Amino acid sequence: MRLVLRSVCWRKLSPTFLQDVFGRRGSTESSNSPVIAQGNASILDVILLSSIFSQSLRSSEQNSSPFDVQEASSGREVRLVAVSKLKPASDILAIHKTTSHSHFGENYVSELQEKAKQLPDDIKWHFIGALQTNKCKILGAIPNLFAVETVDSCKKAELLEKSRASLALANIKPLEIYLQVNTSGESSKAGFLIEPNQTIRETQLYSTAFYIKEQCRFLKLAGLMTIGSIEESKSNNQNKDFEKLVSLRDQLSKSLNGFTLGLSMGMSADFILAIKVGSTNVRVGSSIFGERPPFKESQA
């Protein structure tokens, strides 16, 4: 039996109502439901959030039940990064307080910096936007920054390492780093480009991964990340960008003597398929928070 979820406008909800919803989930949650890494929300919470906070799911997005996600993950641990860019801090706080979910993603350094000042220190921030070299020092100085998912050069890794080292905080955990790969080959996409005739050890991807793994005290090599093409995200059965990232991850892991690497891939339109092929970290925004305002309008 499939669970039927309601779609309710976020603006009409209160934390009390949300608490009631989550409190009633009871037996609908499987005992072996995969858990969102480093957080207290289950996969069912993720789908409930997607249903509750979205004003309306676009037809191209996946209106999925928790059982779809459980089947896709095969019991693996999958982390949800709730992408909150251009959304007010109050929306993030409501989700954090109600569900204890702690992983949130931002695309702009200035916006992340401001929200980190306003919101609780136990939120784990992920930077998922295009990373400029001149922003690395500012970004790395945010104490509760958990991960940077868009590193695409050794220089940026070096600058993040220096920035984290300068914090001089006791017991600070290494910053998780995902290396972004341009799997689609589109000029509009950032990330490492891998030529067909290159071996993995001949790539800048390998040299950057090796540098982080062997020489960085304040960075942790977490895995690979891709955005992929819009065309591939519309497929329900196969995504060549995901498959390419899985293959590169396997090659890179082998070249690093079996070092374990995660995969950050999958967004609102394609996270089910991404989980099915091995994603350990999905970035979901509009399905949770609803459509975003234009950038300039959000800054007004």
Side-chain angles (χ1 to χ4, degrees):
M1 180 178 71
R2 295 174 65 86
L3 181 65
V4 178
L5 301 175
R6 294 178 294 170
S7 180
V8 185
C9 177
W10 152 247
R11 297 297 175 188
K12 297 179 181 178
L13 299 180
S14 67
T16 301
F17 174 79
L18 293 175
Q19 192 66 58
D20 290 340
V21 171
F22 286 109
R24 289 199 300 268
R25 69 175 179 260
S27 62
T28 59
E29 182 177 3
S30 170
S31 60
N32 62 353
S33 173
V35 176
I36 300 302
Q38 306 297 326
N40 297 325
S42 71
I43 284 290
L44 180 55
D45 293 333
V46 175
I47 303 303
L48 283 171
L49 284 171
S50 297
S51 176
I52 292 169
F53 290 113
S54 177
Q55 295 187 27
S56 61
L57 289 174
R58 296 195 304 270
S59 59
S60 62
E61 293 178 343
Q62 300 175 32
N63 191 6
S64 307
S65 82
F67 306 112
D68 293 330
V69 182
Q70 290 170 12
E71 181 179 356
S73 67
S74 300
R76 287 183 294 103
E77 192 174 69
V78 179
R79 176 190 295 138
L80 168 73
V81 178
V83 180
S84 48
K85 70 174 182 179
L86 305 184
K87 291 295 181 177
S90 57
D91 284 12
I92 300 169
L93 185 61
I95 294 177
H96 179 60
K97 281 189 171 182
T98 304
T99 69
S100 297
H101 187 70
S102 57
H103 289 267
F104 292 88
E106 293 289 338
N107 287 59
Y108 307 108
V109 173
S110 58
E111 185 177 2
L112 196 163
Q113 188 179 34
E114 187 61 31
K115 286 178 177 176
K117 293 176 183 177
Q118 299 176 32
L119 292 165
D121 293 339
D122 60 340
I123 286 180
K124 298 176 174 67
W125 294 106
H126 293 238
F127 183 75
I128 60 173
L131 180 59
Q132 298 176 329
T133 303
N134 63 355
K135 297 290 186 179
C136 289
K137 182 178 180 180
I138 299 171
L139 181 63
I142 298 172
N144 57 331
L145 181 66
F146 181 84
V148 178
E149 301 197 18
T150 50
V151 172
D152 58 2
S153 74
C154 198
K155 178 65 175 178
K156 292 174 185 178
E158 291 173 357
L159 292 171
L160 287 169
E161 170 75 1
K162 290 179 181 178
S163 181
R164 297 305 279 182
S166 67
L167 285 177
L169 296 176
N171 301 319
I172 187 171
K173 293 183 178 180
L175 178 65
E176 291 202 359
I177 299 295
Y178 288 84
L179 301 179
Q180 183 175 359
V181 179
N182 185 346
T183 52
S184 65
E186 296 170 287
S187 59
S188 60
K189 296 286 196 309
F192 291 97
L193 275 170
I194 311 300
E195 300 297 334
N197 59 343
Q198 283 184 304
T199 65
I200 193 67
R201 287 180 178 269
E202 295 173 333
T203 65
Q204 292 183 30
L205 175 67
Y206 171 79
S207 58
T208 304
F210 185 85
Y211 165 73
I212 295 171
K213 176 179 178 292
E214 298 295 333
Q215 299 185 42
C216 292
R217 177 184 173 189
F218 297 96
L219 304 183
K220 174 186 176 182
L221 181 61
L224 303 183
M225 175 270 204
T226 192
I227 295 175
S229 69
I230 294 176
E231 289 73 18
E232 288 296 322
S233 71
K234 295 177 181 178
S235 172
N236 292 323
N237 301 313
Q238 185 179 25
N239 186 307
K240 294 179 181 178
D241 291 313
F242 293 166
E243 292 173 358
K244 184 172 183 178
L245 196 70
V246 171
S247 176
L248 285 171
R249 187 275 309 273
D250 293 345
Q251 294 174 55
L252 184 60
S253 176
K254 184 177 180 180
S255 70
L256 296 173
N257 299 317
F259 188 78
T260 300
L261 297 168
L263 293 169
S264 177
M265 58 187 191
M267 298 186 287
S268 290
D270 54 16
F271 70 90
I272 293 290
L273 181 57
I275 292 173
K276 187 174 182 179
V277 299
S279 180
T280 56
N281 189 85
V282 294
R283 311 177 304 273
V284 180
S286 58
S287 289
I288 295 175
F289 290 96
E291 295 300 322
R292 301 181 185 89
F295 179 75
K296 290 184 179 180
E297 180 182 326
S298 71
Q299 303 301 303

